[in-house]
Amino acid sequence: MSALTAVTDRRAERARRRKAFGRIWPNLVALPLALFFVFPVYWMFATSFKPASEVLTKEPTFVFTPTFQHYSTAAGVDLFWTYVVNSLTVTIGAVLLALLVALAASFAIVRMRFRGRKGLVLAVMTAQMAPWEVMVIVMYLIARDAQMLNSIGTLTLIYFVMVLPFTIWTLRGFIAAVPKELEEAALIDGCGRAQAFFRVIFPLLAPGLMSTSLFGFITAWNEFAMVLVLNKESEAYTLPLWLTRFQSAFGNDWGATMAASSLFAIPVLLLFLFLQRRAVGGLSAGAVKG
């Protein structure tokens, strides 16, 4: 019995070691990768707070007296707040429109049976895979012929179309994961189909709504090619276009350039930090369900 107990103990100890190693090695791999990806972001923010005399030095400076002078320079550029409002308008408008249309479309795809349903799903997948950069010239010609150039509304509609396929595809998975019996129970209790959707299904879609909103926000916020081609008047610029013109105007003022880049990145970073847990869970769940 003692020999058998010893063998069992050794096996249990090896199992514990393997389990501990299985927990440790992913962290050991993830740590240097995290440092590799986070360091450029850290350096951007650090440079934006450095005095001008310490921005370009032979030896990297990690300890310095922070200054907000570069942020004053960046925010003091003509029409800066106009560009902020333009970017927020087109981004939030495109995301809200995409969520509204995608909720209806994904619900119809999952819950209803109609002719052309599979073709609609295929079209959504194709649109998701299509590189939108090849559509820039076509979009320009359409906007020019319709006299819709230099318009924030036109840009909002284009961004809405860009983020819509991914939004439909992700929300489709979440709606498919909601048991149909819940909706049927609500219908039996006297709810209409719309009431059943908003009272039963909609509250369960929070992770999907957050993940798709984050993706749509990042896509629209960072988009550059469309606004470069469609909006030539300075009042119709967004922040990505302002950032490129800012660097050209200030030349080697890298402190101000890094401050401008930090101002551009802050909204996305704050949104991601706020939604990160639900967004990551939403992306994985929406990808495998349904």
Side-chain angles (χ1 to χ4, degrees):
M1 290 294 295
S2 59
L4 181 60
T5 302
V7 171
T8 303
D9 291 341
R10 286 196 297 269
R11 289 179 178 176
E13 180 64 23
R14 287 197 295 267
R16 284 194 296 268
R17 290 179 180 178
R18 286 195 298 268
K19 187 176 180 180
F21 180 74
R23 291 195 301 264
I24 293 174
W25 78 261
N27 294 323
L28 293 177
V29 174
L31 182 60
L33 288 176
L35 293 175
F36 177 79
F37 287 109
V38 169
F39 183 78
V41 179
Y42 156 77
W43 197 252
M44 177 184 71
F45 280 101
T47 304
S48 69
F49 287 106
K50 288 181 179 180
S53 59
E54 299 183 18
V55 172
L56 296 177
T57 57
K58 292 183 178 180
E59 299 293 334
T61 304
F62 294 95
V63 180
F64 54 87
T65 302
T67 177
F68 290 92
Q69 180 61 42
H70 301 310
Y71 285 92
S72 299
T73 301
V77 175
D78 292 339
L79 300 176
F80 169 75
W81 294 108
T82 300
Y83 304 148
V84 173
V85 172
N86 290 346
S87 288
L88 289 175
T89 299
V90 299
T91 301
I92 296 176
V95 170
L96 291 179
L97 284 174
L99 289 177
L100 182 63
V101 175
L103 278 172
S106 56
F107 180 81
I109 290 173
V110 174
R111 289 289 192 258
M112 300 179 182
R113 295 296 180 265
F114 54 89
R115 182 175 297 178
R117 176 174 170 271
K118 293 184 178 180
L120 177 59
V121 174
L122 180 61
V124 170
M125 295 178 61
T126 303
Q128 173 63 28
M129 293 184 293
W132 284 98
E133 288 75 10
V134 303
M135 302 295 291
V136 171
I137 302 302
V138 175
M139 294 291 185
Y140 171 80
L141 295 176
I142 294 174
R144 184 199 62 183
D145 295 341
Q147 298 182 351
M148 297 176 65
L149 294 175
N150 301 305
S151 171
I152 296 300
T154 302
L155 207 60
T156 302
L157 291 176
I158 292 175
Y159 290 173
F160 152 67
V161 175
M162 291 174 63
V163 303
L164 181 61
F166 177 84
T167 307
I168 293 176
W169 188 254
T170 303
L171 290 181
R172 168 186 171 273
F174 275 90
I175 293 177
V178 177
K180 192 175 182 180
E181 291 75 14
L182 294 177
E183 184 183 355
E184 293 174 347
L187 293 175
I188 293 174
D189 290 339
C191 291
R193 186 170 289 275
Q195 289 179 317
F197 175 81
F198 285 106
R199 292 184 179 183
V200 177
I201 298 179
F202 185 77
L204 301 176
L205 301 180
L209 294 174
M210 290 184 179
S211 61
T212 52
S213 297
L214 179 59
F215 171 83
F217 189 95
I218 294 174
T219 300
W221 185 263
N222 293 337
E223 204 285 324
F224 174 76
M226 291 292 180
V227 67
L228 175 66
V229 174
L230 298 178
N231 291 9
K232 297 297 184 180
E233 295 181 359
S234 57
E235 291 80 4
Y237 286 178
T238 57
L239 285 177
L241 189 55
W242 162 78
L243 188 59
T244 60
R245 303 296 172 90
F246 178 90
Q247 202 280 329
S248 300
F250 283 81
N252 294 327
D253 190 351
W254 294 109
T257 301
M258 292 299 102
S261 301
S262 300
L263 289 173
F264 176 71
I266 284 173
V268 175
L269 291 176
L270 291 178
L271 185 64
F272 180 78
L273 291 175
F274 180 72
L275 299 179
Q276 59 174 334
R277 289 189 177 181
R278 288 186 177 271
V280 173
L283 284 173
S284 59
V288 300
K289 293 179 181 178

